[in-house]
Amino acid sequence: VGCKAILVFFQYGVMANFYWLLVEGLYLHILLVLIFSPNRHFTIYLLIGWGIPTIFIVTWTVTRIILEDTGCWDTNEHGGPWWVIRIPILISIIVNFILFISIIRILLQKLRSPDVGGNDQSQYKRLAKSTLLLIPLFGVHYTVFALFPDRSSNNYKIIFELCLGSFQGLIVAVLYCFLNSEV
């Protein structure tokens, strides 16, 4: 029972990570689209970041108990319980990628406005810098292997996600906290 409980909390942590990345994307997108919005939607963000993973982890736990209650739940012989976790994560990755593209489009429009000075090269340099800063914040690197089957890309996926995913928090902390004079 202890092993299963630890795995449930582990899966919850993984899913919550993806949904908090989605919350970051939603928040930034709302800040760019609705400039004068006094409402911060903090409760909605909490429900998305913690609530949605809770719903799917409870569903996953019930399906594991009913369909595949073997061992420590670390194997996936039946696909059903695994997809209860995988589909919401894929949806969050896809929505976050769409938000990322939308924010890049908004930044490009703002850089092309006549109010922003500079030549084309400096504007593209700012756009490239903004894009590179957003990649770790949005977890865009997860889209690389999001739609591939696990069996075909598992070795490369592990290396890729360990290299980029492990440093994601550090990169975000350095770029948005330590190098930001406002923080």
Side-chain angles (χ1 to χ4, degrees):
V1 173
C3 181
K4 291 175 184 177
I6 289 171
L7 193 65
V8 167
F9 284 116
F10 171 76
Q11 294 295 348
Y12 178 75
V14 169
M15 186 174 272
N17 175 52
F18 284 101
Y19 275 87
W20 277 107
L21 287 173
L22 178 62
V23 167
E24 291 173 5
L26 285 170
Y27 181 71
L28 186 58
H29 191 266
I30 288 172
L31 282 178
L32 288 173
V33 172
L34 303 173
I35 296 171
F36 297 110
S37 175
N39 190 356
R40 297 286 182 215
H41 310 291
F42 188 67
T43 307
I44 295 170
Y45 297 142
L46 286 174
L47 289 174
I48 293 171
W50 298 120
I52 292 175
T54 301
I55 291 167
F56 285 105
I57 291 301
V58 168
T59 306
W60 175 74
T61 304
V62 170
T63 57
R64 282 303 293 224
I65 291 170
I66 293 170
L67 297 176
E68 193 177 2
D69 193 10
T70 57
C72 187
W73 295 355
D74 56 347
T75 59
N76 297 307
E77 295 173 15
H78 301 289
W82 178 243
W83 286 105
V84 172
I85 292 177
R86 184 97 171 132
I87 288 175
I89 288 175
L90 288 174
I91 290 170
S92 73
I93 290 171
I94 291 168
V95 170
N96 221 9
F97 187 70
I98 292 168
L99 289 171
F100 174 75
I101 298 299
S102 177
I103 288 173
I104 297 301
R105 184 186 51 79
I106 292 169
L107 289 174
L108 187 59
Q109 287 175 350
K110 289 184 184 234
L111 286 175
R112 286 189 176 166
S113 73
D115 298 335
V116 178
N119 57 14
D120 285 343
Q121 185 177 7
S122 69
Q123 289 178 353
Y124 288 121
K125 202 182 260 188
R126 279 192 240 162
L127 179 65
K129 182 181 175 185
S130 300
T131 304
L132 290 175
L133 288 173
L134 289 175
I135 287 173
L137 182 67
F138 275 63
V140 173
H141 61 279
Y142 291 118
T143 59
V144 174
F145 289 102
L147 300 176
F148 287 108
D150 281 338
R151 291 177 189 91
S152 67
S153 62
N154 209 14
N155 292 338
Y156 301 111
K157 180 180 178 181
I158 288 173
I159 294 169
F160 189 77
E161 285 188 359
L162 284 177
C163 290
L164 289 177
S166 297
F167 292 104
Q168 180 179 0
L170 175 67
I171 292 169
V172 170
V174 168
L175 293 175
Y176 294 100
C177 295
F178 304 136
L179 295 179
N180 188 344
S181 62
E182 293 175 6
V183 175

